[in-house]
Amino acid sequence: MSIDSLRRSARATVSGLPQGFWWLWLSTLVNRTGAFVLTFLSLYLTVELGHSAWFAGLVVALHGLGGVAGSPLGGMLTDRWGRRPTMVSMHLAAAACAAALAVVTEAWAVAAVVLLMGVAMQAVRPSINATIADMVPAHDVRRAYALNYWALNLGFAIASIGGGAAAFLGYRTLFVVDAVATTLCAVIVFLRLPETRPEAAVGERGEPVAEERVSMLTVLRDAPFRTLVLLNLLVCLVFTAPWIGLPLTMADQDLSPSSYGVVIAVNGIVIVGFQLLVNKLTDKRSPVLLLTLSALLFALGTGATALAGSPVAFAATVVVWTVGEMIHVPTNAAATARLAPEHARGRYQGVMGMSWAVAGFVAPIGAGAIVDGPGPDVLWAATTAIGVVAAVGYFTRLRRALSEETEKDSVPAVPVAEGPASSTPVAQAPVPSASVAEGAPVGGAPAEGAAPSSVSA
């Protein structure tokens, strides 16, 4: 394939999206580029503060527990308060927590700050996903989620490389940089991103039309969506397991920690290098088939870990489930947007986010217990079985629901206005410039990274 054809392919992948989306994309990239807290928290707690590995694991788990509460909170605020206010306030709260970690040293204070940070970081995600669903035409929503996920992983990769500066700057300095980057992200949202929450419906005479009140309980009573959430929880458990089980499995085979670092880096490299290509290959495909395929890839990749015996073989298994990740995350987010009523997108995304947060809390504990007990082979057999069950569930339980929604989306929707009155139809926003179409993350027109904490898009 020539360079020109690659450029055309990249341009087709990123073109045609509203300008507001690219500001959101840029805010995601800036936020994740400075994401140092979660990357280096366990090392900070053990090396810098002298706490035990058990305490470090507990604190990281508290971050996930905070996310379980933060996701529905963010969904409620997104629908009631608005997308932009929720994003700005939660980004600033997360920035305050990152700055606080550079100051507090008491064990209870560190644990409390990390818990609150988990609430804030997870609460912002329903507003981001709802904003994308609001402003991007329905037939381009999955592509938009994929591009935003690419920004997330690109930023995480940059943060991981830049984190090497901890050796001479110190962990506290990195936490301050995280706070500054998150604050800058909030500023970008405040200054450049319009509010996209749909206005209240009106009747023929201009009188307000009462919309059905949607609570979290109402969302859970939506049978197709409830099924989607439960199946996503299964996939999330499979996806999260390698982050605990893989290093333990490699250590059990007397492979060095540095070997694990190289192997797991493959995840970020593959996403950054090939997400746009995967977007192109999967564009316009059936969401049911894509979700089924992704679950099978997770099952195959994690299951094959039990057969691996060298760093190269372990890296190959990571490639397999990483492809599943690249397919699953944007497709699942788009399916959530399809099933959600327009006025309840935040709550639906919040409930979906809970499945990621619950998996992030439960899977590390379960994976560690299985490895210490029956052994790594049992863990990988379990992830294979769970992945296959999820694949069967997607194919048999959601075919009708998502197929009907896909038919509705087949007619291109009118994009949302870029101004304050976001519900007013306007012409399609200009196509991004050539430099952006080629994938360059430049300023004026702007991808749960590799780690589970960075996913749940």
Side-chain angles (χ1 to χ4, degrees), residues 255-317:
L255 294 173
S256 66
S258 61
S259 297
Y260 168 71
V262 173
V263 167
I264 203 61
V266 171
N267 174 262
I269 293 171
V270 170
I271 293 176
V272 172
F274 296 98
Q275 182 73 66
L276 296 182
L277 176 61
V278 171
N279 295 353
K280 183 68 175 177
L281 295 175
T282 58
D283 192 30
K284 311 304 180 186
R285 305 294 182 184
S286 163
V288 172
L289 293 180
L290 291 177
L291 290 170
T292 302
L293 175 61
S294 67
L296 290 175
L297 288 172
F298 276 119
L300 177 61
T302 58
T305 306
L307 306 176
S310 67
V312 173
F314 282 114
T317 68

Side-chain angles (χ1 to χ4, degrees), residues 2-173:
S2 66
I3 295 179
D4 287 341
S5 62
L6 287 174
R7 284 183 176 180
R8 287 193 297 270
S9 178
R11 184 176 291 110
T13 301
V14 303
S15 65
L17 297 174
Q19 185 181 23
F21 167 79
W22 292 110
W23 285 112
L24 183 63
W25 187 95
L26 178 62
S27 72
T28 299
L29 180 63
V30 169
N31 187 22
R32 297 311 300 172
T33 299
F36 295 114
V37 168
L38 290 179
T39 307
F40 298 99
L41 181 59
S42 60
L43 289 175
Y44 171 68
L45 292 172
T46 54
V47 176
E48 184 85 3
L49 299 184
H51 293 296
S52 66
W54 175 86
F55 178 75
L58 175 63
V59 171
V60 173
L62 284 176
H63 185 278
L65 185 62
V68 175
S71 193
L73 172 64
M76 180 189 68
L77 293 176
T78 295
D79 287 336
R80 289 189 177 182
W81 195 10
R83 279 62 160 145
R84 192 173 69 155
T86 302
M87 267 188 269
V88 171
S89 59
M90 292 301 115
H91 279 315
L92 291 178
C97 290
L101 284 175
V103 178
V104 300
T105 56
E106 293 292 333
W108 67 268
V110 172
V113 170
V114 171
L115 177 66
L116 293 175
M117 192 174 189
V119 173
M121 288 183 66
Q122 192 67 31
V124 77
R125 285 168 183 159
S127 58
I128 293 174
N129 286 344
T131 298
I132 293 175
D134 292 338
M135 67 168 50
V136 175
H139 62 286
D140 281 331
V141 163
R142 198 200 69 82
R143 179 162 62 100
Y145 282 126
L147 288 169
N148 200 62
Y149 188 63
W150 181 60
L152 187 150
N153 281 279
L154 178 60
F156 185 85
I158 296 172
S160 298
I161 296 172
F168 57 91
L169 290 179
Y171 294 107
R172 288 183 173 89
T173 302

Side-chain angles (χ1 to χ4, degrees), residues 27 70 73 75-76 107 117 145 149 170 176 179 184 188 197 199-200 202 249 282 309 323 337 339 374 417:
S27 72
L73 172 64
M76 180 189 68
M117 192 174 189
Y145 282 126
Y149 188 63
V176 171
L184 178 58
I188 293 172
R197 182 178 59 169
E199 294 181 354
V202 296
T249 301
T282 58
V323 175
L339 295 177

